[in-house]
Amino acid sequence: MNPLAAEALAALPEDLATGGPPLAEVVQRGVPVGRLQRGWILGSLQARIALGYLLVRLRGMLLSGDEKLRLRDEANLQAAVRLLGTMSYLRGGMQKIGQALANYPTLVPDEFVEVLGALQFEAPPMHFSLLREMVRNELGGEPEQVFASFETQAFAAASLGQVHRARLKTGEEVAVKIQYPHIASTIRDDFRNLSLLLLPLRLTSDWASTREQLEDVREMLERETDYCAEAQATIQARSHLAGLPEVVVPRVYEELSTARVLTTEFLRGVHLAEFVRRNPAQELRDRHARQLLEGIFRLFDRHGFVWTDAHPGNVLFLDDGRLGLIDFGSCRILDEDEWRYERLMERAFRGDEEAYRAGLLLGTRTVDGSPGNPEQLRLAREYCEWLWEPLRHSGPFDLGSQDYFPRGMRLLEALFRSRFTRSLPVNTWINRTFLGVRALCYRLGARVDVGAINERELGTPPLV
Amino acid sequence: MRITAQAKAETLERLLEVAKRRLRRASDFATREIAREAGVAHGTLFNYFPTKEALARAVCERELGAAAESFTSARRANAGLEEELFALIMAGLRRLAPFRAALGDLFREGPAALVEPARQLIAEHRGETAAGSVALHIFGSLYLGLLSFWSADASPKQEETLAVLDRSLGMFVASLEDPS
Ligand SMILES: Nc1ncnc2c1ncn2[C@@H]1O[C@H](COP(=O)(O)OP(=O)(O)OP(=O)(O)O)[C@@H](O)[C@H]1O
């Protein structure tokens, strides 16, 4: 047996590995009542059982080389995964993991992405007694002692907790994000189980690349559950953007922040949907899109700082006309290899064909002098061209046009559908950022001189 | 010589005081030592508490009684039942924290000092019928389970206990709403 399959089977609870009790029963059990419908109960235990069940299914698939059998088992697996999605008590950590994995459509079966991506997890809302315990544990005092005032109702949900408004003793208004207790280790456990499930799935091809990507997801989840890391990233981003007066990253109050609590300056503004609903003038739309692009390009081009969370929940249109960027929980900073790759792509952007070819090979993880898969390379090139189109355009580019953004989406779909499993992990995050930003600009219907911003932000070191 | 009720109460008080101090370390919690320090004969201690565990439970009941009082004096207006039960239990755990490790399986049933205030809360929020013996029995078991979990909780700041308490109270309160 393949050592990987052996590892997966060894991880099964014993009764499952030997075909034990009718697990379908466990998996199909009714959904808990009331408030818990939205939450999840001690996720990792149930997750282990459910994933164990899936692994039993997989076993047949691994042991038989017969293609027909393999397909049948794959169908079974997909049914089981759909079932998994209906189990509300798994949603907690699973949704975070699902979101992360959804960035790797090549890594996970379609059903998985669909089910996990659709899960809308709300951490079970914390009532004030629980909140009080968290504040006591984390900040060493009652909310009423630590803050001048503290609103007992959350004003926003966070993916792993909730956000409360408060006022500091020194008078500043702040947003206090508090994480649900014990969620971090639940996610760790669930991910370990999920990895065991996924590894054998892709045994056939590119196992090294799969492993690399899973490791990347794991690291990212690790970062996202640690608010200390988020505090540091936010402080960095704030200092990187200090030179752009129209872009605000909230100040972090470190003395009131821990692994589970993040206290930041409260930004007064609205999210994209509300901003657009107010039917703002074209000029204001353009201005905010320009602010967004300036911020993102400066972070990336000058500091190798990838703001991967470029989605509408994390951009605030401030009452005073500035743009607020929040949530740096899953940021990445390019390492040396990744910088080198970006330099190659920058040269490619400037018309250096040799660099282009080398960059594409690197980006698609085509190593050892292999010529690569021509179809994948063609699609990747087309995607780059699409990405660079607004940068090459002179004067304001219409990012809201019906032609531009939807075309990119179709291209990306084709890339995903082709199921090429090889990709440099950092590409995933860069794509996420630049696609997210373009999606935002599209919804803003904005016209921006992207090329000018790019040239300005690139400065001396030529980077994409 | 007949022992007056007052003398009896004073002895009880002394025993409980000494026992509370010694309950912090399992190895210190020896009846012989406790009796000596409280100034009573070893045998006399057992007139007050039939077993060592009974003494430890009495210490805890008293702490929980004090916790229930402080909870009552600081109730938040408009709080829901679940939130109130949570606060009541946490007020108790805070008082018991010095003896956490010793509590694992000390109790056989829910401590009266907590079950009674819980009964009052349930009756207040959901009516007298909801606060029946079955509900209280479940609450008591839930509490014992929590106590033994907490006692062995190795997670940082015992945050896992918070999660377990939150979820089990959620389930408990939901069961009050839907008796079927
Ligand atoms: N400093 C702030 N000022 C104003 N609103 C804030 C602030 N911080 C957070 N919020 C509000 O809280 C919401 C959630 O915060 P945040 O995005 O940091 O949570 P998250 O759990 O990290 O989100 P994600 O789901 O993106 O991981 C935001 O969408 C925003 O509405």
Side-chain angles (χ1 to χ4, degrees), chain B residues 1-69:
Chain B
M1 185 179 90
R2 280 184 60 94
I3 303 167
T4 64
Q6 194 194 344
K8 226 174 152 175
E10 279 168 15
T11 307
L12 182 67
E13 180 64 25
R14 272 203 313 282
L15 281 170
L16 286 170
E17 273 308 309
V18 174
K20 176 179 163 185
R21 203 162 355 99
R22 288 182 163 268
L23 192 53
R24 284 160 190 270
R25 276 203 2 218
S27 59
D28 291 347
F29 200 73
T31 49
R32 192 174 297 281
E33 297 300 307
I34 293 169
R36 193 184 48 73
E37 203 179 317
V40 301
H42 191 205
T44 308
L45 183 149
F46 292 100
N47 293 337
Y48 289 81
F49 302 100
T51 62
K52 183 166 118 169
E53 286 72 27
L55 173 56
R57 277 199 295 272
V59 170
C60 295
E61 284 272 5
R62 223 161 62 133
E63 293 302 305
L64 292 174
E69 258 172 50

Side-chain angles (χ1 to χ4, degrees), chain A residues 33-36 40-43 124 127-130 132-134 136-138 142 152 180-182 185 260, chain B residues 76 82-84 86-87 90-91 94 155-160 162-164 166-167 169-171 174 178:
Chain A
V33 291
R35 184 178 87 98
L36 295 166
W40 84 111
I41 312 165
L42 298 177
H127 50 65
F128 197 61
S129 294
L130 175 52
R132 177 186 296 284
E133 292 307 316
M134 289 306 289
R136 283 176 59 102
N137 277 350
E138 298 299 316
E142 306 285 343
T152 53
Y180 193 82
H182 192 54
S185 46
R260 304 267 181 276
Chain B
R76 199 172 74 77
E82 200 180 323
E83 175 176 345
E84 296 226 82
F86 192 99
M90 286 315 300
R94 222 169 280 149
S155 66
K157 298 170 188 155
Q158 286 99 51
E159 63 165 4
E160 204 170 342
L162 291 182
V164 167
D166 183 49
R167 288 165 212 184
L169 272 184
M171 237 180 302
D178 180 12

Side-chain angles (χ1 to χ4, degrees), chain A residues 96 155-156 158-159 163 175 177 264-265 267 271 311 313-314 326-327:
Chain A
K96 260 280 155 221
F155 80 92
S159 53
V163 193
K177 179 158 84 166
T264 54
E265 161 191 4
L267 299 182
H271 286 130
H311 68 75
N314 294 332
I326 56 175
D327 198 353

Side-chain angles (χ1 to χ4, degrees), chain A residues 96 99 155-161 163 174-177 224 227 230 250-251 262 264-269 271 309 311-316 326-329:
Chain A
K96 260 280 155 221
Q99 283 176 347
F155 80 92
S159 53
L160 304 176
V163 193
V174 292
V176 187
K177 179 158 84 166
E224 274 203 73
Y227 288 173
E230 178 166 349
R251 174 171 168 201
L262 181 63
T264 54
E265 161 191 4
F266 181 79
L267 299 182
R268 202 174 292 276
H271 286 130
D309 259 341
H311 68 75
N314 294 332
V315 178
L316 288 171
I326 56 175
D327 198 353
F328 292 83

